[in-house]
Amino acid sequence: MSIVIRDVLEHELDSVLALNNNAGLAILPLDAAKLRRFYETAEYFRVAERDGNLAGFLVGYGSGSGHDSSNYAWFQQRYPSFFYIDRIVVASRRRGGGVGRAFYADAQSYAELRYPKMACEVFLDHGADAALLFHGSFGFREVGQNTMLDVDVRTSMLLKDLCSYEWVRETYGDNLPDVPWVGHTRRPLQQQRPTGT
């Protein structure tokens, strides 16, 4: 019954796509090309396994990544440095079982070493109370609203201050210790390729 959070593997992308597109109205559908872009460019792209089965995924980008989301751009216009959760999906049979909380704990432990804030949004047009309560219980607060013009969806823009960031920055700067739990940094494929190829 344990939950394992780990980096996504390329052969799992079809399963991730199906999971996303079966999630309902609270998440935008994806096509294979957009999911491939996530795989190639996301700073954080992890999956959850429960009892050996895929239970969900979370995709995140740091500020300055050039991510093409209108909600990401909204935060970028207002905040100089943040970690943005583009999407989190938990399989319907696993909702309420701690997978979302495990993801947010993992994403925060990653982000607070690198960014002063964590940002995300919740769609407001499809029964948002449970999602807003979930995010509020993690210390997120609404800092505005945005309408995604391309899909006509209104979102609550949520932000959380990461209190450990300042201490980590003052103590380590850009030289984080080489320990396993810090080292799960996922380098996007575009950064892994040697120059000139």
Side-chain angles (χ1 to χ4, degrees):
M1 294 293 279
S2 64
I3 300 168
V4 175
I5 307 288
R6 60 167 175 76
D7 285 344
V8 68
L9 301 173
E10 187 172 11
H11 75 270
E12 296 172 316
L13 292 180
D14 287 342
S15 297
V16 167
L17 184 62
L19 192 62
N20 184 92
N21 292 340
N22 288 322
L25 296 174
I27 197 84
L28 292 177
L30 281 176
D31 60 26
K34 175 93 179 207
L35 184 61
R36 171 60 62 173
R37 264 196 318 280
F38 283 161
Y39 180 73
E40 292 177 350
T41 63
E43 182 175 331
Y44 180 107
F45 190 163
R46 305 196 89 198
V47 295
E49 279 185 359
R50 188 155 200 180
D51 305 326
N53 297 308
L54 194 65
F57 71 95
L58 190 148
V59 177
Y61 287 86
S63 49
S65 72
H67 183 45
D68 65 355
S69 155
S70 63
N71 287 325
Y72 174 87
W74 188 95
F75 285 109
Q76 198 168 42
Q77 292 166 3
R78 291 160 176 81
Y79 302 97
S81 183
F82 58 90
F83 178 77
Y84 172 71
I85 297 173
D86 184 273
R87 67 185 59 217
I88 177 173
V89 173
V90 175
S92 58
R93 70 187 182 286
R94 298 296 186 191
R95 291 181 191 152
V99 173
R101 291 189 173 279
F103 265 132
Y104 270 71
D106 187 72
Q108 181 172 325
S109 72
Y110 172 82
E112 69 188 347
L113 301 180
R114 296 161 178 89
Y115 301 97
K117 299 179 183 311
M118 194 153 69
C120 65
E121 76 278 341
V122 168
F123 293 179
L124 291 174
D125 301 326
H126 304 292
D129 288 341
L132 290 172
L133 180 60
F134 174 84
H135 286 86
S137 73
F138 273 93
F140 284 91
R141 68 191 188 289
E142 184 176 86
V143 292
Q145 293 188 2
N146 185 41
T147 299
M148 302 168 65
L149 298 178
D150 52 334
V151 291
D152 194 31
V153 173
R154 192 169 53 100
T155 58
S156 173
M157 308 304 280
L158 304 176
L159 197 68
K160 175 180 182 169
D161 294 321
L162 299 176
C163 60
S164 299
Y165 172 78
E166 286 301 325
W167 179 87
V168 171
R169 192 81 183 148
E170 289 171 9
T171 306
Y172 295 101
D174 290 326
N175 300 309
L176 294 174
D178 185 18
V179 293
W181 68 272
V182 171
H184 81 259
T185 302
R186 181 179 187 278
R187 288 182 45 212
L189 292 183
Q190 64 189 18
Q191 295 175 7
Q192 294 176 24
R193 295 186 182 107
T195 53
T197 59

